[in-house]
Amino acid sequence: MSIPVIDPATLETVATVADLGPGEARQAVDTAAAAFRDWSRTAPRRRSEVLHKAFELMLRDRDELALLISRENGKSLADATGEVTYAAEFLRWFAEEAVRPGGEYGSAPAGGARTLVSHRPVGVAALITPWNFPAAMVTRKIGPAIAAGCTAVLKPAAETPLTAIAIVELLVEAGLPDGVVTVVTTSDPASVVGTWLDDPRVRKISFTGSTPIGRILLRQAAERVVNSSMELGGNAPFVVTADADVEAAVAGAMIAKFRNGGQACTAANRFYVHDAVYDTFVARFGAEVEKLTVGAAADGAAIGPLINEKALVRVRAAVEEAIAEGARISHRAADGPQTGWFYPPTVLADVPATAAILQEEIFGPVAPIARWTDEEELLTLVNDTEYGLAAYVFAGDLRQAVRIGEAIDAGMVGINRGLVSDPSAPFGGVKQSGLGREGAREGLREFQETQYLSVDWGL
Ligand code: ADP
């Protein structure tokens, strides 16, 4: 059995990969469990060197990997090249963190006992990644897993397995021993991941994907109390205040909305622009949106297709519903080619605060813009969501920017910046956007467990 990998720009089959099931999933755990004993005892410096080398190899192959990402995901070459660099940086960051596993030595307050605290690899980890960042979501999990001394089974999204396979090949070229990471491709994720969560040897799940699937996996993980990291959906607000630098806000909005064609969990999903600058912002932002070219990465377009037909149908319906609720299309880029799942970047102005599109994760190149005047009302609207991943605030007065930023229930807030992702910063959400953090020191901790020895030295 095999799964075709489709280029969403041309609908051509790029390659096929094996369609594996529960049997292979269990074998992958056999492999990871067998490799754990040696790998978890490898010197941290050695693990660091493998990651460093893999970082260099990813940069060596940057153009080739970018092409692969564009072919299976559809994103523009500029986005794909940026992703390879970003993805490689996780390997470098965790190469640097690998030699800092942490630990503590303390005295019990009552005297006598000494406490030795260490951070140990959690064990075999199941890594589940989505299709929107086929490289970065893989390295953001594999990097800390390897650094911590874990072994892993990895299930990439069926839409984009090729990049994950290529990255694991580079890790092996960099010296990663056989069996430390095994990729399992499947068109039946529920049975593969279900097999893993049923297996007592799997001690960790790290998942990036939608909130509904995250909930299912948390329920399954509860059966055996599996250590869970969840990077789930978002509904990022993009706030522009009355004294914001509109040009800077427009530049930030283009990145926050259109990186990856809007198919990012951190994508600006709803814009709240102060009445004083509303018309100027819509006009300037709209003018930039109309310049975006839509088409295949191979043709140099800025915006690629959506991942599949289902996504296209969903985005179309969300826009139609918003219009029925009173919004209007103020600006729109030219249509893309007829083949492929293209949707033209669209600005929706005069969106009522109650519109459904402000509550749903759009995951496409559509920017709904609502108006605000009162900061308290704004904050109520902004926080009226089950999500809490990213937010963006553009303001001249930095005190106001920080005040708003701190009042937003989100794990990450960009202040006068349209991009929050950074391997050295703790990426993650609050509320139903997830549990745990990726990147930074915290990212390593997700793959470690703390143990202490309470010691009587007889002193
Ligand atoms: P998206 O809407 O971005 O595709 P999903 O949450 O459906 O988000 O997918 C993210 C990842 O979760 C993918 O690797 C996908 O194959 C996997 N996945 C989807 N459904 C399940 C499931 N029932 N159990 C385990 N993994 C799943």
Side-chain angles (χ1 to χ4, degrees):
M1 291 279 282
S2 63
I3 313 170
V5 180
I6 311 284
D7 179 339
T10 59
L11 308 191
E12 281 164 13
T13 300
V14 175
T16 56
V17 296
D19 192 359
L20 305 175
E24 290 93 352
R26 204 164 300 113
Q27 281 167 16
V29 178
D30 294 344
T31 305
F36 182 73
R37 200 187 127 86
D38 283 348
W39 183 245
S40 61
R41 294 175 187 190
T42 313
R45 177 69 74 205
R46 171 87 194 99
R47 303 202 290 261
S48 171
E49 280 165 358
V50 169
L51 288 167
H52 254 299
K53 182 73 188 163
F55 161 71
E56 284 164 11
L57 295 177
M58 270 192 87
L59 294 187
R60 180 197 70 188
D61 292 353
R62 175 161 43 197
D63 294 347
E64 217 174 293
L65 286 167
L67 217 52
L68 193 60
I69 292 171
S70 286
R71 292 193 74 194
E72 62 177 353
N73 165 286
K75 70 176 71 179
S76 73
L77 263 184
D79 276 345
T81 307
E83 184 187 343
V84 177
T85 308
Y86 173 54
E89 285 297 343
F90 281 106
L91 299 181
R92 174 151 71 171
W93 173 262
F94 285 109
E96 290 161 349
E97 287 299 296
V99 290
R100 299 182 186 89
E104 241 178 287
Y105 178 79
S107 294
R114 299 293 195 272
T115 310
L116 271 126
V117 179
S118 64
H119 300 287
R120 315 193 308 170
V122 58
V124 174
L127 314 178
I128 323 297
T129 56
W131 49 263
N132 62 339
F133 290 94
M137 298 304 98
V138 166
T139 56
R140 197 157 82 173
K141 296 185 191 304
I142 280 189
I146 289 174
C150 293
T151 56
V153 289
L154 166 67
K155 194 208 76 60
E159 293 86 347
T160 58
L162 304 176
T163 307
I165 292 168
I167 289 173
V168 173
E169 279 170 3
L170 288 183
L171 280 158
V172 170
E173 186 183 339
L176 191 72
D178 278 348
V180 173
V181 179
T182 304
V183 182
V184 176
T185 50
T186 183
S187 62
D188 184 3
S191 80
V192 165
V193 179
T195 301
W196 288 345
L197 286 172
D198 272 345
D199 191 319
R201 296 169 299 175
V202 173
R203 291 307 315 147
K204 169 85 200 174
I205 177 162
S206 177
F207 170 77
T208 297
S210 61
T211 297
I213 302 294
R215 281 191 203 106
I216 294 173
L217 298 181
L218 279 171
R219 265 184 228 122
Q220 292 178 8
E223 277 302 311
R224 289 189 307 98
V225 194
V226 175
N227 181 320
S228 303
S229 299
M230 295 277 146
E231 295 292 347
L232 308 178
N235 180 9
F238 187 106
V239 174
V240 183
T241 68
D243 70 350
D245 174 342
V246 172
E247 287 309 308
V250 166
M254 292 304 290
I255 295 168
K257 180 73 248 182
F258 294 108
R259 188 170 66 107
N260 236 20
Q263 299 183 106
C265 49
T266 53
N269 202 57
R270 43 195 179 125
F271 290 74
Y272 295 97
V273 179
H274 193 277
D275 189 52
V277 288
Y278 189 89
D279 294 338
T280 321
F281 178 86
V282 170
R284 281 291 304 116
F285 180 51
E288 292 303 311
V289 171
E290 284 178 346
K291 285 186 211 159
L292 291 171
T293 52
V294 180
D299 297 329
I303 303 288
L306 296 173
I307 191 71
N308 54 32
E309 187 175 16
K310 201 172 119 207
L312 182 61
V313 169
R314 194 177 36 72
V315 171
R316 264 197 204 129
V319 170
E320 279 164 21
E321 192 180 356
I323 292 168
E325 288 172 315
R328 67 183 168 89
I329 294 178
S330 66
H331 299 81
R332 185 169 247 184
D335 279 332
Q338 286 307 302
T339 48
W341 314 120
F342 295 101
Y343 191 84
T346 300
V347 179
L348 292 173
D350 301 330
V351 179
T354 52
I357 199 164
L358 303 179
Q359 290 297 320
E360 299 154 8
E361 196 172 18
I362 301 170
F363 240 66
V366 177
I369 313 185
R371 213 181 274 268
W372 70 277
T373 47
D374 179 78
E375 194 176 307
E376 281 304 310
E377 280 171 26
L378 167 78
L379 290 172
T380 304
L381 289 172
V382 159
N383 285 328
D384 182 22
T385 166
E386 69 188 27
Y387 296 113
L389 191 63
Y392 305 90
V393 181
F394 278 75
D397 176 2
L398 277 180
R399 281 175 309 177
Q400 186 186 19
V402 170
R403 186 171 72 230
I404 294 176
E406 289 186 348
I408 298 177
D409 295 327
M412 304 173 278
V413 184
I415 304 277
N416 290 334
R417 295 200 67 212
L419 185 68
V420 289
S421 306
D422 179 334
S424 69
F427 186 105
V430 301
K431 300 203 280 189
Q432 295 189 41
S433 285
L435 297 170
R437 294 293 180 269
E438 292 193 312
R441 166 70 54 86
E442 284 93 331
L444 184 65
R445 287 279 181 264
E446 302 278 321
F447 287 88
Q448 293 174 320
E449 270 178 334
T450 303
Q451 183 189 48
Y452 75 83
L453 306 182
S454 180
V455 185
D456 184 347
W457 296 122
L459 299 174

